[in-house]
């Protein structure tokens, strides 16, 4: 009975997203680690817009526990709040894209 209860234990966020500052044209990577695999309905968002795996947005998972989002070639308008949701778990962080000043 104890092992069954343990197996039913809800996953928790072990290591959440971290605020990230990058320059225009760089890549920004966000990682969220869950206590155990098998959490359904994993989704990434940027300012409320769902993200999908494509050339500029790389979404991956390792061992079903470590979920990674990489935004490639970011632009100023990509600055905002990144949200990771897995079932009822949520982790958020800020993405700040800094322009490169040409002033001398």
């Amino acid at each position: 009975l104890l092992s069954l209860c343990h197996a039913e234990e809800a996953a928790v966020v072990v290591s959440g997203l971290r605020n990230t500052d990058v320059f225009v044209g760089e890549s920004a990577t966000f990682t969220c680690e869950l206590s155990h695999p098998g959490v359904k309905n994993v989704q990434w968002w940027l300012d409320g817009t769902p993200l999908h795996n494509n050339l500029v947005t790389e979404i991956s998972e390792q061992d079903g526990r470590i979920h990674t989002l990489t935004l490639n070639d970011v632009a100023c308008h990509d600055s905002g709040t990144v949200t990771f949701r897995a079932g009822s778990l949520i982790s958020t962080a800020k993405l700040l894209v800094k322009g490169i000043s040409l002033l001398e």
Side-chain angles (χ1 to χ4, degrees):
L1 183 62
L2 279 176
S3 60
L4 178 65
C5 288
H6 185 69
E8 294 293 316
E9 189 181 321
V12 295
V13 174
V14 176
S15 174
L17 305 184
R18 298 203 171 139
N19 292 344
T20 302
D21 293 8
V22 294
F23 285 106
V24 168
E26 291 183 339
S27 296
T29 299
F30 295 86
T31 302
C32 189
E33 183 179 345
L34 304 180
S35 56
H36 45 269
V39 179
K40 303 290 184 221
N41 302 323
V42 171
Q43 178 68 62
W44 291 90
W45 309 74
L46 177 58
D47 272 350
T49 302
L51 298 174
H52 303 284
N53 220 353
N54 55 42
L55 288 173
V56 291
T57 306
E58 295 175 34
I59 297 171
S60 63
E61 72 175 54
Q62 185 181 340
D63 303 330
R65 294 175 43 243
I66 300 171
H67 296 267
T68 304
L69 166 71
T70 300
L71 301 172
N72 293 310
D73 194 22
V74 295
C76 287
H77 67 258
D78 291 320
S79 292
T81 301
V82 172
T83 303
F84 170 80
R85 181 175 288 167
S88 60
L89 304 174
I90 295 177
S91 181
T92 62
K94 297 281 188 198
L95 168 61
L96 176 63
V97 180
K98 298 179 284 196
I100 298 169
S101 174
L102 298 178
L103 299 176
E104 291 181 14

